[in-house]
Amino acid sequence: MGSNEGRERIQPDPGAALPLRLVPGVGEYRDADGVLRSYVDPGATLARAPTARRAVNAFVRERAKDLGTGRTEIREVAADEGGATLNVVYQQFHQDLPVLGAGVRVAADTGRAAVVQVANTMEIDVSEAPDAWEDRGPDVAGKAALDPFREGYDSAAIVRDELVYLRDTSRPALPDADRATATLALLELGRRRPDGRLHLVHDLVVETTGPFEHFRVVVDAVAGELLWTENAGRYVTSTLKVFLPDPVTESDTTFDSTTKNVDLVGLLHDAQAEVAPAGPDGKFHLDGDWCRCLDWDAPAFPQPEPSTATFAFTNYPDDKTFLSANVYFWIDTFARYLRDLGNTALNDRMTKVEVDPQGTAGAGLSEWIGSTTPPRIRFDMTGVPGGADLGVIVHEYTHGVVQWLRTGLTGSLEYEHSVCDAMAGIYRDRFNPKGHRRTETFPFDNNAKDVPNSVRRLDLPQRFDDAGFDGYAADLRTSMLASALWQCYLGIGGANSDAGVREAAADQMITTLLEILLLVPADTADSKQNAVQLAERCIAADTALTGGVYTKVMDEAFVRQGLWARRPVDLFIADSPADTGILPSTDPFWTSPDIWVRNKDLSAGDDPEAGHQEPIEKQPNYLYVRVHNRGTVQAEADRFKVETWRCDPGTGMIWPDHFKSISKETIHEVIPPGGSVRVGPFPWTPTIADHECLIAVVSGADDPAVTDTLRTLHKSVSHHVLVKYDNNVGQRNVYPRKSVPGGRSKMTIRLRGGPAATTDSWELDATAMPEATRISIRTLSSLVNAASLSDVQVTEPGDVRCTLEMRGGTTAVVDGFPLAANAEVLADLTIDFSHDAVNLRNYDFVATQVQDNQVAGRITIEITAVKESEDLFFGNPRTHEVHITSCPFWDQLGPASKVPYFTLEDALARRYNGCAYCLPDANTG
């Protein structure tokens, strides 16, 4: 696996010799000749070194024989670093000429300093290749390349000519019909069945005018014959006043190319964007750091040149000048947004683009042309113009992002449109607060009247394992993968009703898409396998970026789309009584029935299945965990471990900073599919009076928990993401309390700050409590004074601490208070329980902390109403004596002095002393 060069090798245990199965295809794959073609270890568990660069160097050096690079020449041609990935590309050369598509691409996780992906496309046997001296020269190749453009174009010229070797195995796909800049007949010229041989070729770019286009033309250098021609641009087939984001999305109305200005003018919005200063003529232009609008494509349409920096054109669609402002604003805005995400490789390579917002009037095709300097985008004018739809604009620009990030790879990415469509849909969702047409990729451009393309969506039900997959058209296949990527976005927060949560999820998913592009290798011939590779890289990217927080949710999305089967062993700890292991967990996800406490040990005759008991401080308690298997094969004995953890009760906990391990146990039993086992006991002695937050994690190489990958990064995260996004993790954060109607319960909980300073809210949900219940909260005055209050009042102000009060049946909100990094604020709660409570009914009080619009944790105080009975025992918290109802002093005890217990033993264990009058045998003086 290459030298570890002294770096720690961290593995889950047991199964320490195996890579973490974060995707189905982990491990090494060799071809029939024994050449190592693929290496997949997204958990970064094996090929580690002190730095990512040294990990790459060691792998390439020490595995040269396996890779087949020892007998051939390779040169490093690119080394790009994204948010968390170093991607190094080695190009193969023969006789000092590059072999297109041949080489080794190595990706390393920079945080873990380990190789995570290797794709090897080396040509091991090049003995059949023609010698470089057999090239007939650029004149012969140039004539063959230009001949197809003698008719139908005003001019044609060669703007790039590279002499390379190329394995002739496939031909670029042909469009379904003539394009505005290229007929089918032109693109079919010279095509013959690929012969599979290694050819010496001239790889040229031909630039035409009348109409303008860039073509890639490949000519056999020895025979001087045309092999094929293809468009060098990237297409989307679809059919300062700007649309926000487009008329159909904003209004949820069916608009099309016949819609009049009177219907659209109300959907034009004021926007601001930076443009260059006025020129010597005093005119302003739509020209800035990342975009320049100019008329370079037929038909002619002069770009606006106002004498003031105002581009507020309101007479669309009668005057298409509006498209210039709309296109410029969204390209400039999207480019700046991408740069703020901090992908180093993208920021280093991103360049200004020249855009013709009123481009070709032919077939409905907008196009990215990346072979020009600077690159260009043309937007079509057929039906609804492409420049009127944010989805089309972002899609086209994303083709450029793909080009900038896939340095060193030749040819197009087969599922490039999947990334472009998903990027457009996720970004547009930020500007769609009402959720209209969320899964329509191009709502305005691809309307029902003009271009009703029913498959350009993000919610397709078709699967990659469908029997008819091989017959699916390219648009359908790419939209299927885009649908899976959209499901990933929904799973990590895009489905949340809170706009802030959705925005954070969009930022995270778009950051992941950028990282994916650094990891995706050159395409293979198998189109399903290409989609699987991209999905695998999505999980690898998340592992590098977040420590794998969202990998299980992404895996679930890819399973649903049929990219691979559910993992054979899929263990889970239920997050609530209704949980079946689905991801992400739904609320409540902090009430696991599979984690429970008993106050006595098995050796004392206790029944572990008798239910959860409130822990007793300062004496041994015994924790149990139930683990289920929703997989298709049994989990073998001794291959998984369960580790349990505790934390002082509260919200906003950070993993692992605020948690302490209780202990770890190996599962010695087989867990059959659909079965479960009880693990434990885990003995521990609580040291605080209040209930503790308990977490249990089950993990092994066959089904690793997110804590395994987080551990290798030494990364801290909000604890709730472990539970919500990984079914291997369960949490019990519930105060079980008993109270007589009219009684009083007291407890202390903690609000915690995050790794950095945050703006927080505290939601106190007492809707399940009887209305006559009164809840008081005593906490820091500085916190309350900085917040806005809803349905809660300050009843006792103070310089340092104050008391708030709310009533049952309501939800109070303390909103907008700051918390410093790693802060801890205590809040003392007193619940004066209503006399109207029904005997033995549970009443929940739920406290939720939100940090920067993200839920940081919840805690439930579960009060069981227990009416006075001669069979019960009642503790007096003030005197710490325990009584029964026949006590001669019973009538002198108020409801707040009666904490019910079902057994005397339970009360005595909590350090109550028997009353000298009614329980003298339990009185110790």
Side-chain angles (χ1 to χ4, degrees), residues 887-909:
C887 180
F889 299 100
W890 182 255
D891 292 339
Q892 299 179 28
L893 299 175
S897 300
K898 299 174 181 177
V899 178
Y901 293 94
F902 290 108
T903 67
L904 176 60
E905 183 181 37
D906 194 12
L908 296 177

Side-chain angles (χ1 to χ4, degrees), residues 348-421:
D348 287 346
R349 298 182 184 278
M350 186 185 290
T351 60
K352 178 190 270 190
V353 298
E354 294 181 343
V355 181
D356 190 339
Q358 303 85 5
T360 177
L365 299 167
S366 297
E367 179 187 19
W368 165 269
I369 304 174
S371 52
T372 59
T373 302
R376 289 179 168 182
I377 304 177
R378 59 155 59 99
F379 289 100
D380 73 277
M381 294 292 288
T382 303
V384 171
D389 192 315
L390 170 61
V392 176
I393 296 169
V394 172
H395 178 111
E396 289 307 329
Y397 191 83
T398 303
H399 280 301
V401 173
V402 173
Q403 176 178 315
W404 290 322
L405 286 176
R406 297 188 78 234
T407 306
L409 293 180
T410 59
S412 63
L413 173 65
E414 182 176 356
Y415 284 90
E416 186 168 324
H417 288 295
S418 304
V419 176
C420 296
D421 282 3

Side-chain angles (χ1 to χ4, degrees), residues 96-110:
D96 210 33
L97 296 176
V99 184
L100 287 192
V104 179
R105 192 176 184 95
V106 185
D109 185 313
T110 54

Side-chain angles (χ1 to χ4, degrees), residues 413-487:
L413 173 65
E414 182 176 356
Y415 284 90
E416 186 168 324
H417 288 295
S418 304
V419 176
C420 296
D421 282 3
M423 186 82 81
I426 294 167
Y427 183 70
R428 180 171 62 96
D429 208 44
R430 303 170 65 88
F431 309 97
N432 186 15
K434 295 182 180 179
H436 297 154
R437 314 293 183 97
R438 295 182 80 196
T439 56
E440 295 182 21
T441 314
F442 314 116
F444 194 20
D445 187 70
N446 184 25
N447 61 77
K449 177 181 183 300
D450 295 313
V451 193
N453 187 336
S454 61
V455 303
R456 293 307 287 273
R457 301 182 58 86
L458 298 171
D459 58 356
L460 292 183
Q462 289 88 349
R463 295 167 52 95
F464 283 85
D465 54 4
D466 287 347
F469 173 80
D470 289 340
Y472 288 165
D475 271 1
L476 178 56
R477 287 190 290 106
T478 56
S479 294
M480 287 161 57
L481 184 55
S483 295
L485 295 173
W486 173 261
Q487 286 297 322

Side-chain angles (χ1 to χ4, degrees), residues 735-801:
Y735 281 93
R737 291 292 177 94
K738 295 180 287 291
S739 176
V740 296
R744 172 174 290 176
S745 295
K746 293 185 176 182
M747 63 285 299
T748 299
I749 62 176
R750 292 161 174 79
L751 291 86
R752 295 180 173 87
T758 55
T759 299
D760 293 62
S761 295
W762 203 26
E763 181 184 279
L764 305 171
D765 182 358
T767 54
M769 295 278 181
E771 288 187 12
T773 300
R774 291 292 178 266
I775 302 107
S776 66
I777 308 103
R778 188 160 180 79
T779 190
L780 291 178
S781 299
S782 58
L783 181 152
V784 175
N785 294 338
S788 59
L789 307 180
S790 300
D791 287 327
V792 63
Q793 296 79 38
V794 177
T795 56
E796 296 180 18
D799 293 337
V800 179
R801 293 175 68 82

Side-chain angles (χ1 to χ4, degrees), residues 552 570-573 581-583 630 723 725-729:
K552 294 286 182 73
D570 190 356
L571 302 186
F572 75 93
I573 300 168
I582 62 170
L583 289 165
R630 70 166 187 158
V723 186
Y725 299 118
D726 188 348
N727 59 7
N728 291 51
V729 185

Side-chain angles (χ1 to χ4, degrees), residues 77-78 80 87-91 99-106 119-121 160 162 203 216 234 349 402-414 416 516-524 533 537:
V77 294
D80 298 322
N87 188 64
V88 183
V89 180
Y90 298 90
Q91 171 72 56
V99 184
L100 287 192
V104 179
R105 192 176 184 95
V106 185
N120 178 13
T121 55
R160 189 196 72 191
E162 292 183 275
D203 190 2
R216 182 190 182 200
R234 298 287 179 260
R349 298 182 184 278
V402 173
Q403 176 178 315
W404 290 322
L405 286 176
R406 297 188 78 234
T407 306
L409 293 180
T410 59
S412 63
L413 173 65
E414 182 176 356
E416 186 168 324
I516 289 172
L517 296 172
L518 287 169
L519 296 170
V520 176
D523 280 348
T524 61
Q533 285 185 343
R537 273 53 176 185

